[in-house]
Structures are given as C-alpha cells and as structure tokens.
Amino acid sequence: MKRINIGLLGLGNIGTGTYRTLEMNAAHIRRAAGLDFAVTRILERDVDRERGITVSKAIFTQNPDDIWNDPATDIVIELLGGVEPATSFMVGAMNRGKHVVTANKAALAANYEILTDAAARNNVMFRFEASVGGGIPILNALTTALLANEYEEIMGILNGTTNYILTKMAGENLTYETALKEAQAKGFAEADPTADVEGEDVANKLSILMSLVFGKRVLPGDIPTSGITKITKDDIEAAKADGCVIKLLASAFKRGDGIDCFIQPTLLNKDHPLASVDNEFNAIFVKGNAVHDLMFYGKGAGPLPTGSAVVGDAIEIGRAIAKGAAFDLRG
Ligand code: HSE
C-alpha cells in the first residue's frame, strides 16, 4: 500500500471538510485507490478549536517551511483562501518539488499563469477541482472526457451562498440577513461574505472556467458583475407573481473572435432548468461543438462536498505517484 503524506495549509471550514473526508473514507480510499493518506503537517494558528475530527496538536505549525522543506511531504493542499500569501505558498511548495491541490479560486483567478507556469517549470501536478462548483467535477470533465470539444457557451449558478439566500428569501420568507447568517453557519460563505453577495466569488470562478473552456484569460475585475445586494423582497414577490424566480447567473459565450461575459441577477421562468436549482446547489451548463448541451448539477459549497473534490484531486496525484509517473499526463 503506497503511503501519501499531505501537508495541509489551513484548517478552516474546507480544511476540516477535507480532513473529515480523508478520515471517514480512509478504508474506502485504501480499497478503491490503493493509497494510504496521512496528514503529517498542518499550517494553522487556531490549534484549540473543536472541529469534530481527530487531529494531533503535534502536527500543527505556523511555519510553511516546515511543510515544504520536509522531504516526506508528497502533496501540499492549500486551503487558506485569498490571493496572498496563498499564491506565494503554492509557488514555494512547487519550487521545492511538491505537488499542489487547492480550492482557492481567488488565487487562481488572479494568478492563473503564475501558478500553472510554476507547476510546468517544476514538473509537478497542480489540481484545483474544488475551486469551481464545490463538489461538481466540472474541471475534471472539461480537461479529460470533454477535451475533444470546442465550446460556444458556458452558463450557470456558481455561488452556493447567494443561491441559498435567494432560495430562502423566496421560499421561506427569510430576510436577507437571516438567510446570509444561515449560509455562513453551514460553512458556505467566504470569510468575508462581500465576495459572495457582490458576485466577486462568481467572477473568480467564471474567469477560471473561461481559461479552461475558451483558453482565454479574462481577469475577474474585467467581467461586468452585479451581485444580489440590491435585490429586494418586492423584486422577489414581483418575480413570483410572474411565474419566475431570480437567480444569480454567470454567462460567457463566443461572439465572433471575442468572448462576451457577465454576471447578473436574472429572471428565469419557473420551467427553466436552472430555476429549480436551489439552496447551496450549483449548476453549470456547457455547449460543446461535438457533445452539444450538457448540464452539471450538485452541491457547490460546504465543507464535505468541497472536501470530496479536494480529496479526489489528491487521489489522482497519489495514484500517479504510486505508479512512478514522471510527468503530468493532463498538463
Ligand atoms: N462561498 C462559495 C459559495 C464557496 O458560496 O459558493 C464555494 O466556492
């Protein structure tokens, strides 16, 4: 059985969900993938918080050098969030020959080339499935099974927090504030929920998707974006009266040689396939020139769905390490 040592950067909501996924499914992962994962180091200040996981205080550190200078570390999993120091830590880990997995859409959207170049230069694997759509394996699908396609369009609901808020305001008459608090308590929201409710989180995800789908870099700040903070109870009632719902939609499509993209609250007829995507669920619609229309649906936020995507990436890398792969077949 191949043992894979993980250095974890951050033990917040997603770090804890990742640790729990590894803990509760250890026997299954051994059986299914032939891998024995061990979290050997954790970069985290808050040692004492009760997280509902079994973790030894001895493996906590506040010095990232302890993680990437340790020859035993195979994979560094970055779950700190934010652009910096996360980007520098990921590049630092790759420069020391460590494979990297991240869920960090802000760092990826801002520094996509820096991170992918560092991975290529150091001949290490770099995976970021959890950065878009939480537990939905959309990036895996786009970069493997759907690689034969050219794309015309991508559209979807890409933020669990705002979708949860809009669902609860419409269905349970909750105020915006109560619904936001519930989303935060469930671990959906970003540390600063402004990024969710103003659409910045969706802009980061759409930027990453456009890099993969269209091979074109559009910085999140260059995507015309409106969030949900201006949506009132009256807007929601008026939509209902017309047989519609309001959803925060992200869209990008080819127009001539260019790409149009935007993020905005949108009225959808109740019969529209995206109208019934509720709570923290996300849905991503893509149109490829061979496969035609595809829709992906699943939990777009939350510690365990996101942990599932993070651990899936770690398993793919672990399997490659176990087989002695000298280069990234996907890169
Ligand atoms: N805050 C994000 C959301 C987390 O609510 O969708 C998942 O990316």
Side-chain angles (χ1 to χ4, degrees), residues 105 130-131 134 158-162 188-190 196 201 205 282 300-301:
K105 53 252 156 173
S131 65
L158 297 177
N159 184 268
T161 302
T162 46
F188 305 152
E190 298 302 301
D196 293 302
D201 176 77
K205 291 166 179 169
N282 283 189

Side-chain angles (χ1 to χ4, degrees), residues 21-38:
T21 304
L22 283 169
E23 194 175 57
M24 75 185 180
N25 290 344
H28 164 75
I29 293 169
R30 269 187 222 112
R31 212 169 35 244
L35 299 171
D36 195 9
F37 281 97

Side-chain angles (χ1 to χ4, degrees), residues 20-55:
R20 270 188 67 199
T21 304
L22 283 169
E23 194 175 57
M24 75 185 180
N25 290 344
H28 164 75
I29 293 169
R30 269 187 222 112
R31 212 169 35 244
L35 299 171
D36 195 9
F37 281 97
V39 177
T40 46
R41 281 292 196 177
I42 301 177
L43 183 80
E44 172 65 50
R45 264 191 230 116
D46 187 355
V47 176
D48 294 318
R49 190 173 132 199
E50 182 41 60
R51 296 174 167 94
I53 51 177
T54 310
V55 53

Side-chain angles (χ1 to χ4, degrees), residues 83-153:
V83 177
E84 284 295 353
T87 301
S88 303
F89 285 179
M90 286 190 271
V91 172
M94 290 192 252
N95 285 345
R96 285 158 183 89
K98 308 301 180 193
H99 305 287
V100 170
V101 174
T102 184
N104 189 335
K105 53 252 156 173
L108 270 163
N111 291 320
Y112 191 84
E113 295 90 348
I114 290 175
L115 289 162
T116 51
D117 287 355
R121 197 176 56 245
N122 290 295
N123 202 17
V124 294
M125 285 175 266
F126 176 48
R127 295 285 184 273
F128 42 91
E129 179 60 69
S131 65
V132 180
I136 304 172
I138 178 71
L139 305 188
N140 263 281
L142 291 170
T143 49
T144 58
L146 296 173
L147 213 46
N149 289 269
E150 283 205 30
Y151 294 96
E152 291 152 32
E153 186 181 349

Side-chain angles (χ1 to χ4, degrees), residues 148-324:
N149 289 269
E150 283 205 30
Y151 294 96
E152 291 152 32
E153 186 181 349
I154 186 151
M155 180 181 77
I157 295 171
L158 297 177
N159 184 268
T161 302
T162 46
N163 203 42
Y164 187 90
I165 292 171
L166 292 172
T167 304
K168 294 290 174 184
M169 284 175 77
E172 294 176 26
N173 255 342
L174 293 193
T175 61
Y176 171 85
E177 288 76 19
T178 310
L180 172 58
K181 276 202 189 102
E182 277 191 13
Q184 286 173 307
K186 291 183 179 220
F188 305 152
E190 298 302 301
D192 175 1
T194 314
D196 293 302
V197 296
E198 297 292 2
E200 292 157 25
D201 176 77
V202 178
N204 288 333
K205 291 166 179 169
L206 189 60
S207 168
I208 296 166
L209 282 172
M210 282 192 281
S211 299
L212 291 176
V213 168
F214 300 123
K216 190 169 163 58
R217 283 284 288 138
V218 181
L219 288 171
D222 292 335
I223 302 174
T225 300
S226 314
I228 64 160
T229 50
K230 293 195 180 75
I231 305 291
T232 63
K233 201 89 199 96
D234 287 348
D235 295 328
I236 287 181
E237 289 309 319
K240 255 193 216 172
D242 285 344
C244 293
V245 294
I246 300 174
K247 294 289 183 191
L248 182 61
L249 288 195
S251 303
F253 48 91
K254 275 192 178 158
R255 190 196 290 271
D257 286 339
I259 292 169
D260 273 0
C261 55
F262 51 87
I263 294 157
Q264 62 189 25
T266 307
L267 266 182
L268 293 177
N269 192 287
K270 280 206 168 106
D271 298 332
H272 191 285
L274 291 176
S276 52
V277 176
D278 282 338
N279 295 313
E280 76 271 35
F281 282 83
N282 283 189
I284 302 153
F285 168 86
V286 285
K287 196 186 193 94
N289 65 349
V291 73
H292 296 174
D293 295 353
L294 280 173
M295 198 156 106
F296 296 81
Y297 170 81
K299 288 196 173 176
L304 284 178
T306 311
S308 161
V310 171
V311 174
D313 279 347
I315 290 173
E316 189 200 352
I317 293 174
R319 279 178 143 172
I321 294 172
K323 293 210 161 101

